Amino acid sequence: MYVSSERDGVVAVVDPLTAKVVKKIEVGAQTTSLLLDRKQRRLFAANAGSDTVSVIDTKTDRVTRTLLVRPDDARGLPGATPTGLALSPDEKRLYVTVADMNALAVVSLPDGKLQGYVPVGWY
């Protein structure tokens, strides 16, 4: 079982039988949302404080990729604040709510590239 720790910037692997943390996976700051893919092989962690999404291999419990959802022209400036996650039905695209931008970021998973933003309602 996986549990995010917004304070510590980790995803904790918890043994469901003992409720004890067996491993901590370092991700970005303020991890607010987790999403497993259909086969439960990849875990996505939205890191609101670092404007990233960590992709974790659930077999090894290691981060395999970090996706930046902040616009290219704002590199180094915080403020996208990813808070929610969803996968397209074919699991080739990751949709990330970016609260401070009032938008939905669209990320191509095969190459990890940010495709663009869809404007949505406030936060």
Short mmCIF file of all heavy atoms in Angstrom, two decimals, residues 29-97:
data_model
loop_
_atom_site.label_atom_id
_atom_site.label_comp_id
_atom_site.label_asym_id
_atom_site.label_seq_id
_atom_site.Cartn_x
_atom_site.Cartn_y
_atom_site.Cartn_z
N ALA A 29 8.41 17.90 -3.43
CA ALA A 29 7.83 18.58 -2.26
C ALA A 29 6.31 18.57 -2.30
O ALA A 29 5.71 18.71 -3.35
CB ALA A 29 8.33 20.02 -2.22
N GLN A 30 5.72 18.39 -1.16
CA GLN A 30 4.27 18.45 -0.95
C GLN A 30 3.50 17.50 -1.87
O GLN A 30 2.67 17.91 -2.68
CB GLN A 30 3.75 19.87 -1.13
CG GLN A 30 4.29 20.82 -0.09
CD GLN A 30 3.86 22.24 -0.38
OE1 GLN A 30 3.99 22.72 -1.50
NE2 GLN A 30 3.34 22.91 0.64
N THR A 31 3.74 16.22 -1.72
CA THR A 31 3.04 15.21 -2.51
C THR A 31 1.59 15.14 -2.06
O THR A 31 1.30 14.79 -0.93
CB THR A 31 3.73 13.84 -2.36
OG1 THR A 31 5.10 14.01 -2.66
CG2 THR A 31 3.12 12.82 -3.28
N THR A 32 0.69 15.52 -2.98
CA THR A 32 -0.72 15.66 -2.60
C THR A 32 -1.64 14.62 -3.22
O THR A 32 -2.77 14.48 -2.78
CB THR A 32 -1.24 17.05 -3.01
OG1 THR A 32 -1.06 17.21 -4.41
CG2 THR A 32 -0.52 18.15 -2.26
N SER A 33 -1.19 13.91 -4.24
CA SER A 33 -2.08 12.99 -4.94
C SER A 33 -1.30 11.82 -5.50
O SER A 33 -0.16 11.99 -5.96
CB SER A 33 -2.78 13.75 -6.07
OG SER A 33 -3.69 12.93 -6.76
N LEU A 34 -1.92 10.63 -5.47
CA LEU A 34 -1.31 9.43 -6.01
C LEU A 34 -2.28 8.77 -6.99
O LEU A 34 -3.50 8.84 -6.81
CB LEU A 34 -0.99 8.42 -4.90
CG LEU A 34 -0.01 8.86 -3.82
CD1 LEU A 34 0.09 7.78 -2.74
CD2 LEU A 34 1.36 9.14 -4.42
N LEU A 35 -1.72 8.11 -8.02
CA LEU A 35 -2.54 7.40 -9.00
C LEU A 35 -1.78 6.19 -9.50
O LEU A 35 -0.63 6.32 -9.95
CB LEU A 35 -2.88 8.33 -10.18
CG LEU A 35 -3.58 7.69 -11.37
CD1 LEU A 35 -5.02 7.32 -11.01
CD2 LEU A 35 -3.54 8.62 -12.56
N LEU A 36 -2.41 5.01 -9.44
CA LEU A 36 -1.84 3.79 -10.01
C LEU A 36 -2.38 3.59 -11.41
O LEU A 36 -3.56 3.89 -11.68
CB LEU A 36 -2.23 2.58 -9.17
CG LEU A 36 -1.42 2.32 -7.91
CD1 LEU A 36 -2.14 1.31 -7.04
CD2 LEU A 36 -0.02 1.84 -8.25
N ASP A 37 -1.54 3.05 -12.31
CA ASP A 37 -2.06 2.70 -13.63
C ASP A 37 -2.90 1.42 -13.48
O ASP A 37 -2.98 0.82 -12.41
CB ASP A 37 -0.94 2.57 -14.66
CG ASP A 37 -0.02 1.39 -14.45
OD1 ASP A 37 -0.20 0.60 -13.50
OD2 ASP A 37 0.91 1.23 -15.27
N ARG A 38 -3.55 1.03 -14.56
CA ARG A 38 -4.49 -0.10 -14.52
C ARG A 38 -3.84 -1.40 -14.03
O ARG A 38 -4.45 -2.15 -13.27
CB ARG A 38 -5.07 -0.30 -15.92
CG ARG A 38 -6.21 -1.28 -16.01
CD ARG A 38 -6.83 -1.27 -17.38
NE ARG A 38 -6.69 0.10 -17.82
CZ ARG A 38 -6.65 0.56 -19.05
NH1 ARG A 38 -6.81 -0.17 -20.01
NH2 ARG A 38 -6.48 1.80 -19.36
N LYS A 39 -2.63 -1.67 -14.48
CA LYS A 39 -1.95 -2.91 -14.09
C LYS A 39 -1.18 -2.77 -12.78
O LYS A 39 -0.52 -3.70 -12.34
CB LYS A 39 -1.01 -3.36 -15.21
CG LYS A 39 -1.77 -3.79 -16.45
CD LYS A 39 -0.83 -4.30 -17.51
CE LYS A 39 -1.62 -4.73 -18.73
NZ LYS A 39 -0.75 -5.23 -19.80
N GLN A 40 -1.25 -1.59 -12.19
CA GLN A 40 -0.58 -1.27 -10.93
C GLN A 40 0.93 -1.47 -11.00
O GLN A 40 1.57 -1.86 -10.03
CB GLN A 40 -1.20 -2.06 -9.78
CG GLN A 40 -2.66 -1.73 -9.58
CD GLN A 40 -3.26 -2.33 -8.35
OE1 GLN A 40 -2.61 -3.01 -7.57
NE2 GLN A 40 -4.55 -2.07 -8.15
N ARG A 41 1.49 -1.16 -12.17
CA ARG A 41 2.94 -1.23 -12.36
C ARG A 41 3.62 0.12 -12.19
O ARG A 41 4.80 0.19 -11.90
CB ARG A 41 3.26 -1.78 -13.75
CG ARG A 41 2.85 -3.22 -13.91
CD ARG A 41 3.23 -3.74 -15.25
NE ARG A 41 2.77 -5.11 -15.39
CZ ARG A 41 2.56 -5.68 -16.55
NH1 ARG A 41 2.77 -5.03 -17.68
NH2 ARG A 41 2.15 -6.93 -16.60
N ARG A 42 2.84 1.19 -12.42
CA ARG A 42 3.37 2.54 -12.26
C ARG A 42 2.49 3.30 -11.28
O ARG A 42 1.27 3.23 -11.33
CB ARG A 42 3.35 3.30 -13.59
CG ARG A 42 4.31 2.79 -14.62
CD ARG A 42 4.17 3.57 -15.91
NE ARG A 42 2.81 3.40 -16.45
CZ ARG A 42 2.38 3.94 -17.58
NH1 ARG A 42 3.17 4.71 -18.29
NH2 ARG A 42 1.16 3.73 -18.00
N LEU A 43 3.16 4.03 -10.41
CA LEU A 43 2.48 4.91 -9.47
C LEU A 43 2.91 6.33 -9.79
O LEU A 43 4.11 6.61 -9.89
CB LEU A 43 2.87 4.56 -8.03
CG LEU A 43 2.30 5.45 -6.94
CD1 LEU A 43 0.79 5.26 -6.81
CD2 LEU A 43 2.98 5.16 -5.61
N PHE A 44 1.94 7.21 -9.96
CA PHE A 44 2.22 8.62 -10.25
C PHE A 44 1.97 9.41 -8.97
O PHE A 44 0.96 9.20 -8.29
CB PHE A 44 1.30 9.12 -11.36
CG PHE A 44 1.47 8.37 -12.66
CD1 PHE A 44 0.71 7.25 -12.93
CD2 PHE A 44 2.41 8.78 -13.59
CE1 PHE A 44 0.87 6.54 -14.10
CE2 PHE A 44 2.58 8.08 -14.78
CZ PHE A 44 1.81 6.95 -15.03
N ALA A 45 2.89 10.31 -8.64
CA ALA A 45 2.78 11.14 -7.44
C ALA A 45 2.85 12.61 -7.84
O ALA A 45 3.86 13.05 -8.41
CB ALA A 45 3.89 10.80 -6.46
N ALA A 46 1.79 13.36 -7.58
CA ALA A 46 1.76 14.80 -7.88
C ALA A 46 2.44 15.55 -6.73
O ALA A 46 2.01 15.46 -5.58
CB ALA A 46 0.33 15.28 -8.04
N ASN A 47 3.49 16.29 -7.07
CA ASN A 47 4.28 17.03 -6.09
C ASN A 47 3.99 18.52 -6.22
O ASN A 47 4.65 19.22 -6.99
CB ASN A 47 5.76 16.72 -6.30
CG ASN A 47 6.04 15.23 -6.34
OD1 ASN A 47 5.64 14.50 -5.44
ND2 ASN A 47 6.68 14.76 -7.38
N ALA A 48 3.02 18.99 -5.46
CA ALA A 48 2.54 20.37 -5.59
C ALA A 48 3.62 21.41 -5.34
O ALA A 48 3.65 22.45 -6.00
CB ALA A 48 1.36 20.61 -4.64
N GLY A 49 4.52 21.15 -4.42
CA GLY A 49 5.53 22.13 -4.07
C GLY A 49 6.72 22.19 -5.01
O GLY A 49 7.51 23.13 -4.94
N SER A 50 6.86 21.22 -5.90
CA SER A 50 7.99 21.25 -6.83
C SER A 50 7.54 21.25 -8.29
O SER A 50 8.38 21.15 -9.19
CB SER A 50 8.94 20.08 -6.57
OG SER A 50 8.27 18.85 -6.66
N ASP A 51 6.23 21.35 -8.52
CA ASP A 51 5.67 21.42 -9.88
C ASP A 51 6.05 20.21 -10.72
O ASP A 51 6.28 20.32 -11.93
CB ASP A 51 6.10 22.71 -10.59
CG ASP A 51 5.54 23.96 -9.92
OD1 ASP A 51 4.55 23.84 -9.18
OD2 ASP A 51 6.10 25.04 -10.13
N THR A 52 6.12 19.04 -10.08
CA THR A 52 6.50 17.82 -10.78
C THR A 52 5.53 16.68 -10.49
O THR A 52 4.74 16.74 -9.55
CB THR A 52 7.90 17.35 -10.37
OG1 THR A 52 7.90 17.05 -8.97
CG2 THR A 52 8.97 18.38 -10.70
N VAL A 53 5.65 15.66 -11.33
CA VAL A 53 4.98 14.38 -11.07
C VAL A 53 6.08 13.32 -11.10
O VAL A 53 6.84 13.24 -12.07
CB VAL A 53 3.91 14.06 -12.13
CG1 VAL A 53 3.34 12.66 -11.93
CG2 VAL A 53 2.79 15.10 -12.11
N SER A 54 6.18 12.55 -10.04
CA SER A 54 7.14 11.45 -9.99
C SER A 54 6.46 10.18 -10.50
O SER A 54 5.32 9.90 -10.15
CB SER A 54 7.62 11.21 -8.55
OG SER A 54 8.27 12.36 -8.05
N VAL A 55 7.19 9.43 -11.33
CA VAL A 55 6.69 8.15 -11.82
C VAL A 55 7.50 7.07 -11.11
O VAL A 55 8.73 7.04 -11.20
CB VAL A 55 6.85 8.03 -13.35
CG1 VAL A 55 6.27 6.71 -13.84
CG2 VAL A 55 6.21 9.21 -14.06
N ILE A 56 6.79 6.21 -10.40
CA ILE A 56 7.43 5.18 -9.57
C ILE A 56 7.13 3.80 -10.15
O ILE A 56 5.98 3.49 -10.45
CB ILE A 56 6.91 5.26 -8.12
CG1 ILE A 56 7.26 6.62 -7.52
CG2 ILE A 56 7.46 4.12 -7.27
CD1 ILE A 56 6.53 6.94 -6.22
N ASP A 57 8.17 2.99 -10.30
CA ASP A 57 8.01 1.59 -10.71
C ASP A 57 7.62 0.82 -9.45
O ASP A 57 8.39 0.77 -8.49
CB ASP A 57 9.34 1.08 -11.27
CG ASP A 57 9.30 -0.38 -11.68
OD1 ASP A 57 8.58 -1.18 -11.07
OD2 ASP A 57 10.02 -0.73 -12.64
N THR A 58 6.44 0.22 -9.44
CA THR A 58 5.96 -0.44 -8.23
C THR A 58 6.64 -1.79 -7.97
O THR A 58 6.52 -2.33 -6.88
CB THR A 58 4.43 -0.64 -8.27
OG1 THR A 58 4.09 -1.43 -9.41
CG2 THR A 58 3.70 0.69 -8.31
N LYS A 59 7.35 -2.30 -8.96
CA LYS A 59 8.08 -3.56 -8.75
C LYS A 59 9.34 -3.29 -7.92
O LYS A 59 9.69 -4.08 -7.05
CB LYS A 59 8.45 -4.16 -10.09
CG LYS A 59 8.92 -5.57 -10.02
CD LYS A 59 9.12 -6.13 -11.41
CE LYS A 59 8.83 -7.61 -11.40
NZ LYS A 59 8.93 -8.20 -12.71
N THR A 60 10.00 -2.16 -8.20
CA THR A 60 11.25 -1.83 -7.51
C THR A 60 11.06 -0.74 -6.45
O THR A 60 11.97 -0.49 -5.67
CB THR A 60 12.31 -1.34 -8.52
OG1 THR A 60 11.84 -0.15 -9.16
CG2 THR A 60 12.60 -2.42 -9.56
N ASP A 61 9.90 -0.08 -6.48
CA ASP A 61 9.63 1.06 -5.59
C ASP A 61 10.70 2.14 -5.73
O ASP A 61 11.21 2.68 -4.76
CB ASP A 61 9.48 0.63 -4.12
CG ASP A 61 8.18 -0.12 -3.88
OD1 ASP A 61 7.20 0.12 -4.63
OD2 ASP A 61 8.13 -0.94 -2.94
N ARG A 62 11.03 2.45 -6.99
CA ARG A 62 11.99 3.51 -7.30
C ARG A 62 11.38 4.49 -8.31
O ARG A 62 10.60 4.09 -9.17
CB ARG A 62 13.26 2.93 -7.90
CG ARG A 62 14.05 2.09 -6.95
CD ARG A 62 15.32 1.60 -7.62
NE ARG A 62 16.02 0.66 -6.79
CZ ARG A 62 17.01 0.98 -5.98
NH1 ARG A 62 17.42 2.22 -5.90
NH2 ARG A 62 17.59 0.06 -5.25
N VAL A 63 11.77 5.75 -8.18
CA VAL A 63 11.35 6.77 -9.15
C VAL A 63 12.10 6.51 -10.45
O VAL A 63 13.33 6.45 -10.46
CB VAL A 63 11.63 8.20 -8.63
CG1 VAL A 63 11.32 9.23 -9.69
CG2 VAL A 63 10.84 8.46 -7.36
N THR A 64 11.34 6.36 -11.54
CA THR A 64 11.95 6.11 -12.85
C THR A 64 11.98 7.36 -13.72
O THR A 64 12.75 7.43 -14.67
CB THR A 64 11.21 5.00 -13.61
OG1 THR A 64 9.84 5.38 -13.77
CG2 THR A 64 11.31 3.69 -12.86
N ARG A 65 11.14 8.33 -13.39
CA ARG A 65 11.07 9.55 -14.20
C ARG A 65 10.43 10.64 -13.35
O ARG A 65 9.56 10.37 -12.54
CB ARG A 65 10.23 9.28 -15.43
CG ARG A 65 10.07 10.48 -16.34
CD ARG A 65 9.15 10.17 -17.50
NE ARG A 65 9.89 9.52 -18.56
CZ ARG A 65 9.34 8.99 -19.63
NH1 ARG A 65 8.04 9.00 -19.78
NH2 ARG A 65 10.08 8.45 -20.56
N THR A 66 10.85 11.87 -13.58
CA THR A 66 10.22 13.03 -12.95
C THR A 66 9.76 13.95 -14.07
O THR A 66 10.56 14.36 -14.90
CB THR A 66 11.19 13.75 -12.00
OG1 THR A 66 11.62 12.83 -10.99
CG2 THR A 66 10.51 14.94 -11.34
N LEU A 67 8.47 14.23 -14.09
CA LEU A 67 7.87 15.06 -15.13
C LEU A 67 7.63 16.47 -14.60
O LEU A 67 6.94 16.64 -13.59
CB LEU A 67 6.53 14.45 -15.57
CG LEU A 67 6.55 12.97 -15.96
CD1 LEU A 67 5.14 12.42 -16.07
CD2 LEU A 67 7.32 12.79 -17.25
N LEU A 68 8.18 17.47 -15.27
CA LEU A 68 7.96 18.86 -14.89
C LEU A 68 6.71 19.36 -15.61
O LEU A 68 6.62 19.25 -16.83
CB LEU A 68 9.17 19.71 -15.27
CG LEU A 68 9.13 21.17 -14.84
CD1 LEU A 68 9.14 21.29 -13.32
CD2 LEU A 68 10.31 21.92 -15.42
N VAL A 69 5.76 19.88 -14.87
CA VAL A 69 4.51 20.36 -15.48
C VAL A 69 4.42 21.88 -15.53
O VAL A 69 3.42 22.44 -15.95
CB VAL A 69 3.26 19.77 -14.78
CG1 VAL A 69 3.19 18.27 -15.00
CG2 VAL A 69 3.22 20.11 -13.31
N ARG A 70 5.48 22.54 -15.17
CA ARG A 70 5.59 24.00 -15.26
C ARG A 70 5.96 24.37 -16.69
O ARG A 70 6.72 23.66 -17.34
CB ARG A 70 6.67 24.45 -14.29
CG ARG A 70 6.90 25.92 -14.19
CD ARG A 70 8.07 26.27 -13.28
NE ARG A 70 8.11 25.50 -12.05
CZ ARG A 70 9.21 24.93 -11.57
NH1 ARG A 70 10.37 25.02 -12.19
NH2 ARG A 70 9.18 24.25 -10.45
N PRO A 71 5.45 25.50 -17.22
CA PRO A 71 5.82 25.90 -18.58
C PRO A 71 7.32 26.12 -18.74
O PRO A 71 8.00 26.53 -17.80
CB PRO A 71 5.08 27.23 -18.78
CG PRO A 71 4.03 27.26 -17.73
CD PRO A 71 4.52 26.44 -16.59
N ASP A 72 7.83 25.85 -19.95
CA ASP A 72 9.26 26.01 -20.23
C ASP A 72 9.78 27.41 -19.91
O ASP A 72 10.86 27.57 -19.38
CB ASP A 72 9.57 25.71 -21.70
CG ASP A 72 9.61 24.21 -21.96
OD1 ASP A 72 9.82 23.44 -21.01
OD2 ASP A 72 9.44 23.83 -23.13
N ASP A 73 8.99 28.43 -20.24
CA ASP A 73 9.46 29.80 -20.02
C ASP A 73 9.42 30.22 -18.55
O ASP A 73 9.86 31.29 -18.20
CB ASP A 73 8.70 30.80 -20.89
CG ASP A 73 7.20 30.78 -20.67
OD1 ASP A 73 6.71 29.89 -19.95
OD2 ASP A 73 6.52 31.64 -21.23
N ALA A 74 8.92 29.35 -17.68
CA ALA A 74 8.88 29.65 -16.25
C ALA A 74 9.81 28.73 -15.45
O ALA A 74 9.65 28.58 -14.25
CB ALA A 74 7.45 29.53 -15.73
N ARG A 75 10.78 28.12 -16.11
CA ARG A 75 11.71 27.22 -15.42
C ARG A 75 12.38 27.97 -14.27
O ARG A 75 12.80 29.10 -14.41
CB ARG A 75 12.78 26.71 -16.38
CG ARG A 75 12.22 25.91 -17.51
CD ARG A 75 12.58 24.47 -17.40
NE ARG A 75 12.06 23.76 -18.57
CZ ARG A 75 11.41 22.64 -18.48
NH1 ARG A 75 11.23 22.08 -17.32
NH2 ARG A 75 10.97 22.04 -19.55
N GLY A 76 12.41 27.31 -13.13
CA GLY A 76 13.03 27.92 -11.96
C GLY A 76 12.06 28.73 -11.11
O GLY A 76 12.38 29.09 -10.00
N LEU A 77 10.88 29.02 -11.64
CA LEU A 77 9.87 29.76 -10.89
C LEU A 77 8.75 28.82 -10.48
O LEU A 77 8.13 28.18 -11.32
CB LEU A 77 9.28 30.89 -11.74
CG LEU A 77 10.24 31.97 -12.22
CD1 LEU A 77 9.52 32.90 -13.18
CD2 LEU A 77 10.79 32.74 -11.05
N PRO A 78 8.49 28.68 -9.18
CA PRO A 78 7.40 27.80 -8.76
C PRO A 78 6.04 28.42 -9.08
O PRO A 78 5.95 29.62 -9.29
CB PRO A 78 7.62 27.69 -7.25
CG PRO A 78 8.31 28.95 -6.88
CD PRO A 78 9.15 29.33 -8.07
N GLY A 79 5.03 27.58 -9.11
CA GLY A 79 3.70 28.15 -9.26
C GLY A 79 2.72 27.38 -10.11
O GLY A 79 1.62 27.86 -10.35
N ALA A 80 3.04 26.17 -10.58
CA ALA A 80 2.05 25.40 -11.32
C ALA A 80 1.14 24.64 -10.34
O ALA A 80 -0.05 24.58 -10.52
CB ALA A 80 2.72 24.43 -12.28
N THR A 81 1.71 24.06 -9.32
CA THR A 81 1.02 23.35 -8.24
C THR A 81 0.14 22.20 -8.73
O THR A 81 -1.08 22.27 -8.72
CB THR A 81 0.19 24.33 -7.38
OG1 THR A 81 0.98 25.47 -7.07
CG2 THR A 81 -0.27 23.68 -6.08
N PRO A 82 0.76 21.09 -9.15
CA PRO A 82 -0.03 19.92 -9.54
C PRO A 82 -0.73 19.31 -8.33
O PRO A 82 -0.10 19.08 -7.29
CB PRO A 82 1.01 18.97 -10.13
CG PRO A 82 2.31 19.41 -9.57
CD PRO A 82 2.19 20.87 -9.31
N THR A 83 -2.03 19.08 -8.48
CA THR A 83 -2.81 18.58 -7.34
C THR A 83 -3.60 17.31 -7.63
O THR A 83 -3.99 16.61 -6.71
CB THR A 83 -3.81 19.65 -6.86
OG1 THR A 83 -4.63 20.04 -7.96
CG2 THR A 83 -3.09 20.85 -6.28
N GLY A 84 -3.88 17.01 -8.88
CA GLY A 84 -4.69 15.84 -9.21
C GLY A 84 -4.17 15.15 -10.45
O GLY A 84 -3.48 15.77 -11.28
N LEU A 85 -4.51 13.88 -10.60
CA LEU A 85 -3.98 13.06 -11.68
C LEU A 85 -5.07 12.18 -12.30
O LEU A 85 -5.93 11.68 -11.58
CB LEU A 85 -2.87 12.14 -11.14
CG LEU A 85 -1.70 12.80 -10.44
CD1 LEU A 85 -0.93 11.79 -9.61
CD2 LEU A 85 -0.79 13.43 -11.48
N ALA A 86 -4.97 11.97 -13.61
CA ALA A 86 -5.84 11.02 -14.31
C ALA A 86 -5.10 10.52 -15.54
O ALA A 86 -4.27 11.23 -16.11
CB ALA A 86 -7.16 11.68 -14.71
N LEU A 87 -5.41 9.30 -15.96
CA LEU A 87 -4.82 8.72 -17.16
C LEU A 87 -5.87 8.64 -18.25
O LEU A 87 -7.05 8.41 -17.97
CB LEU A 87 -4.30 7.31 -16.87
CG LEU A 87 -3.01 7.22 -16.08
CD1 LEU A 87 -2.80 5.80 -15.56
CD2 LEU A 87 -1.84 7.65 -16.94
N SER A 88 -5.42 8.78 -19.50
CA SER A 88 -6.31 8.56 -20.63
C SER A 88 -6.66 7.06 -20.67
O SER A 88 -5.93 6.24 -20.09
CB SER A 88 -5.65 8.99 -21.93
OG SER A 88 -4.49 8.21 -22.18
N PRO A 89 -7.76 6.69 -21.33
CA PRO A 89 -8.13 5.27 -21.37
C PRO A 89 -7.01 4.35 -21.90
O PRO A 89 -6.86 3.23 -21.42
CB PRO A 89 -9.35 5.24 -22.29
CG PRO A 89 -9.96 6.60 -22.11
CD PRO A 89 -8.77 7.53 -21.96
N ASP A 90 -6.21 4.82 -22.86
CA ASP A 90 -5.11 4.01 -23.39
C ASP A 90 -3.82 4.15 -22.57
O ASP A 90 -2.81 3.52 -22.87
CB ASP A 90 -4.83 4.33 -24.85
CG ASP A 90 -4.36 5.76 -25.08
OD1 ASP A 90 -4.16 6.53 -24.10
OD2 ASP A 90 -4.20 6.13 -26.25
N GLU A 91 -3.86 4.97 -21.54
CA GLU A 91 -2.75 5.22 -20.60
C GLU A 91 -1.49 5.76 -21.28
O GLU A 91 -0.39 5.61 -20.78
CB GLU A 91 -2.44 3.97 -19.77
CG GLU A 91 -3.61 3.56 -18.90
CD GLU A 91 -3.29 2.50 -17.89
OE1 GLU A 91 -2.24 1.82 -17.98
OE2 GLU A 91 -4.11 2.33 -16.96
N LYS A 92 -1.68 6.44 -22.40
CA LYS A 92 -0.56 7.07 -23.09
C LYS A 92 -0.43 8.55 -22.75
O LYS A 92 0.56 9.17 -23.07
CB LYS A 92 -0.69 6.90 -24.61
CG LYS A 92 -0.51 5.47 -25.04
CD LYS A 92 -0.57 5.33 -26.52
CE LYS A 92 -0.39 3.87 -26.91
NZ LYS A 92 -0.47 3.68 -28.35
N ARG A 93 -1.45 9.09 -22.09
CA ARG A 93 -1.42 10.49 -21.67
C ARG A 93 -1.78 10.58 -20.19
O ARG A 93 -2.67 9.88 -19.71
CB ARG A 93 -2.40 11.33 -22.48
CG ARG A 93 -1.90 11.64 -23.88
CD ARG A 93 -2.89 12.43 -24.69
NE ARG A 93 -4.21 11.82 -24.80
CZ ARG A 93 -4.51 10.77 -25.57
NH1 ARG A 93 -3.60 10.19 -26.28
NH2 ARG A 93 -5.74 10.29 -25.60
N LEU A 94 -1.07 11.46 -19.52
CA LEU A 94 -1.36 11.75 -18.12
C LEU A 94 -1.92 13.16 -18.05
O LEU A 94 -1.36 14.08 -18.64
CB LEU A 94 -0.07 11.67 -17.28
CG LEU A 94 -0.21 11.99 -15.79
CD1 LEU A 94 -1.04 10.92 -15.08
CD2 LEU A 94 1.18 12.10 -15.15
N TYR A 95 -3.04 13.30 -17.38
CA TYR A 95 -3.66 14.61 -17.19
C TYR A 95 -3.38 15.04 -15.75
O TYR A 95 -3.61 14.28 -14.81
CB TYR A 95 -5.16 14.54 -17.44
CG TYR A 95 -5.49 14.06 -18.83
CD1 TYR A 95 -6.01 12.79 -19.03
CD2 TYR A 95 -5.27 14.86 -19.94
CE1 TYR A 95 -6.31 12.34 -20.31
CE2 TYR A 95 -5.56 14.42 -21.22
CZ TYR A 95 -6.08 13.16 -21.39
OH TYR A 95 -6.36 12.71 -22.66
N VAL A 96 -2.89 16.25 -15.61
CA VAL A 96 -2.48 16.75 -14.30
C VAL A 96 -3.16 18.09 -14.05
O VAL A 96 -2.97 19.03 -14.83
CB VAL A 96 -0.95 16.93 -14.22
CG1 VAL A 96 -0.52 17.36 -12.83
CG2 VAL A 96 -0.22 15.67 -14.67
N THR A 97 -3.93 18.20 -12.98
CA THR A 97 -4.49 19.51 -12.64
C THR A 97 -3.35 20.37 -12.10
O THR A 97 -2.59 19.94 -11.23
CB THR A 97 -5.61 19.40 -11.59
OG1 THR A 97 -5.11 18.76 -10.42
CG2 THR A 97 -6.81 18.65 -12.14
#
